[in-house]
Amino acid sequence: MFAFLKSAFQAKPQFAAGARVNRLFKGSLDRIDGRVVAQTHEGVLVEWPRNGAGWEQPATLCQQG
């Protein structure tokens, strides 16, 4: 049971290509309306409407509903 809970919290969030995401920084929305281009073991490539594209850490992103 403990191993299952530990693995659930250690898993990196997965985002599908085309998903809309926001980036959180210190508990506040830092960037909004990004589109996921790709996700690799190194991070998530997100295209932002005003800041171009960039690599982000999966834990800093939240998917829009």
Side-chain angles (χ1 to χ4, degrees), residues 29-62:
L29 286 176
D30 181 46
R31 291 185 181 175
I32 58 171
D33 278 339
R35 291 223 182 250
V36 173
V37 177
Q39 183 168 1
T40 69
H41 65 281
E42 293 185 21
V44 181
L45 181 58
V46 179
E47 184 176 7
W48 300 104
R50 296 189 180 157
N51 299 326
W55 288 97
E56 307 291 344
Q57 294 300 315
T60 64
L61 299 174
C62 61

